[in-house]
Amino acid sequence: MAGEEIARACPSTYLSSRASAFFCAGAIKLFGSKEQQDQYINAILNGDKVGAFAYSEEQAGTDIAGITTVAKKEGNKWILNGKKDIVVNAPIADVFVVLAYSDKNAGKDKGMSMFILDKSASGMSIGTPIETLGLRGCPIASVLMNGCAAELLGKEPGKGHEELEKLLSIGAIGIAALCVGIGRACMEGANAYAKTRMAFGKRIGVFQDVGFRLADMFTYNDLGRMLALRAAWGINQSEKNAPLLSACAKLFASEAVTKIVNWGMQIFAGHGYLSGSDIERYYRDAKFGEICEGTSEMQRAFISKYDLERMA
Ligand SMILES: Cc1cc2nc3c(=O)[nH]c(=O)nc-3n(C[C@H](O)[C@H](O)[C@H](O)COP(=O)(O)OP(=O)(O)OC[C@H]3O[C@@H](n4cnc5c(N)ncnc54)[C@H](O)[C@@H]3O)c2cc1C
């Protein structure tokens, strides 16, 4: 609910704060040792430190087994080598949670681990900020690790992939909230415009085509919100179906918002298409939901596999 409100005003702020408070601090809270939790969680949640989460790579987004970042144990420390190409908050982060192979021969299920990496680690370099189609207020860059000393997240290596799946499953609800927030901002803007913009001596909202679009916008957005809240409830109650529900919420809300911004743009017409208009920003920001953290294709693959197994 908080995510929807923040994203309604500024999806970039939401994405950046979520990378820090959910992905970084959340990973430490769910999988870190007591000492790691004491050191980082409050500092991140009260804003003294900014966190980031680096798992995907240029050649390994959906197919995460293809990452090439490796960690080698040397004494008490692990040494990281590799590159993460798109990392939210990289230009401003103090602490990174990084996914790497700790034992490549053990494969993705048993050979991946997560690490806590401080920005001051020797051998670490952050690329120049990356420009994106939307969410332009969100600082994004690559992270290069060249022999960086890092700490294993938690106490046992080899659980990184399982931990990633858990984070992405909860995170899917956060993306649904982002989409519902953008959808709501768009809907409210279009609604206000339809009440004031005149054509043929009438407010455009009285033309049935415009009114029907507003009705569809409201219905799609409300359904996205209901799915997100239902999935969040399922996760809080440790329901077995919760990962399925969060995949459904992300899939539906992200595809709904791309329709909503399209309808919104049609209502604003020429004035919406101008650079700098609110609807132009919503239009650019919305596409992110279908792409990030498990594309729509992968949500469908997960949902159908789950459903087939359930029927069997
Ligand atoms: C703005 C932004 C911020 C990001 N922030 C972060 C971050 O903070 N940390 C981080 O680690 N990463 C981040 N990413 C990376 C993001 O996680 C990946 O872009 C995303 O996981 C998709 O991977 P990909 O781009 O490599 O697509 P690919 O994996 O190359 O997929 C390309 C296409 O192939 C399809 N496809 C692939 N495999 C299958 C299959 N088996 N079946 C059907 N279709 C398939 C996909 O659905 C997609 O349509 C960010 C990306 C963006 C754009």
Side-chain angles (χ1 to χ4, degrees):
M1 289 163 80
E4 178 186 332
E5 286 301 327
I6 301 171
R8 173 179 166 238
C10 181
S12 298
T13 301
Y14 174 58
L15 199 66
S16 172
S17 61
R18 173 176 170 272
S20 185
F22 168 66
F23 270 120
C24 184
I28 297 171
K29 182 171 178 201
L30 286 170
F31 315 119
S33 65
K34 168 90 174 58
E35 300 80 62
Q36 290 167 342
Q37 292 172 349
D38 290 346
Q39 185 178 350
Y40 292 107
I41 294 177
N42 278 346
I44 294 173
L45 294 188
N46 69 24
D48 288 342
K49 279 187 192 293
V50 173
F53 183 60
Y55 71 100
S56 72
E57 296 178 9
E58 193 172 358
Q59 296 302 328
T62 306
D63 183 10
I64 209 65
I67 61 167
T68 56
T69 299
V70 286
K72 200 164 169 244
K73 192 154 190 207
E74 286 184 12
N76 283 339
K77 286 279 169 196
W78 289 80
I79 304 301
L80 289 181
N81 279 292
K83 186 179 178 194
K84 302 290 178 182
D85 68 326
I86 315 178
V87 180
V88 166
N89 287 348
I92 57 166
D94 302 292
V95 52
F96 297 77
V97 168
V98 178
L99 182 74
Y101 272 110
S102 45
D103 178 2
K104 188 119 197 186
N105 293 329
K108 86 172 158 42
D109 291 333
K110 299 232 162 85
M112 286 183 170
S113 303
M114 293 209 194
F115 297 88
I116 301 178
L117 176 64
D118 198 275
K119 74 159 181 206
S120 61
S122 157
M124 167 114 169
S125 54
I126 306 295
T128 49
I130 296 168
E131 287 184 20
T132 45
L133 171 72
L135 300 162
R136 293 183 183 164
C138 188
I140 300 174
S142 61
V143 178
L144 184 66
M145 294 154 289
N146 191 2
C148 298
E151 214 182 306
L152 179 71
L153 178 67
K155 301 225 152 116
E156 244 183 274
K159 295 187 163 169
H161 189 255
E162 187 188 324
E163 292 167 352
L164 177 69
E165 290 207 321
K166 184 157 191 193
L167 279 174
L168 290 179
S169 179
I170 303 172
I173 300 174
I175 294 296
L178 174 98
C179 296
V180 173
I182 298 171
R184 191 164 133 216
C186 177
M187 193 175 70
E188 288 169 355
N191 203 299
Y193 192 69
K195 284 185 184 138
T196 53
R197 175 74 179 173
M198 304 293 288
F200 300 96
K202 292 178 179 162
R203 294 185 175 88
I204 60 168
V206 303
F207 298 124
Q208 199 175 50
D209 277 357
V210 174
F212 279 10
R213 280 204 176 106
L214 291 171
D216 287 346
M217 286 160 95
F218 180 85
T219 308
Y220 275 67
N221 215 46
D222 221 45
L223 278 172
R225 180 187 300 108
M226 281 195 269
L227 276 170
L229 294 176
R230 174 67 186 87
W233 173 265
I235 282 183
N236 272 354
Q237 302 298 312
S238 305
E239 276 181 26
K240 198 165 156 274
N241 278 348
L244 173 72
L245 296 173
S246 56
C248 293
K250 180 184 185 285
L251 175 65
F252 183 84
S254 63
E255 296 195 347
V257 76
T258 56
K259 291 191 180 76
I260 290 168
V261 294
N262 197 31
W263 293 325
M265 178 66 84
Q266 202 65 23
I267 291 175
F268 278 93
H271 294 96
Y273 195 74
L274 300 183
S275 290
S277 76
D278 286 344
I279 181 69
E280 182 246 349
R281 175 165 67 82
Y282 308 145
Y283 195 84
R284 288 185 291 99
D285 288 350
K287 185 64 192 171
F288 177 74
E290 293 179 344
I291 292 172
C292 68
E293 298 168 25
T295 59
S296 286
E297 291 78 8
M298 298 322 289
Q299 304 304 328
R300 284 198 166 83
F302 175 74
I303 295 164
S304 61
K305 181 167 173 281
Y306 195 104
D307 214 34
L308 288 172
E309 279 167 9
R310 196 164 52 168
M311 283 194 285

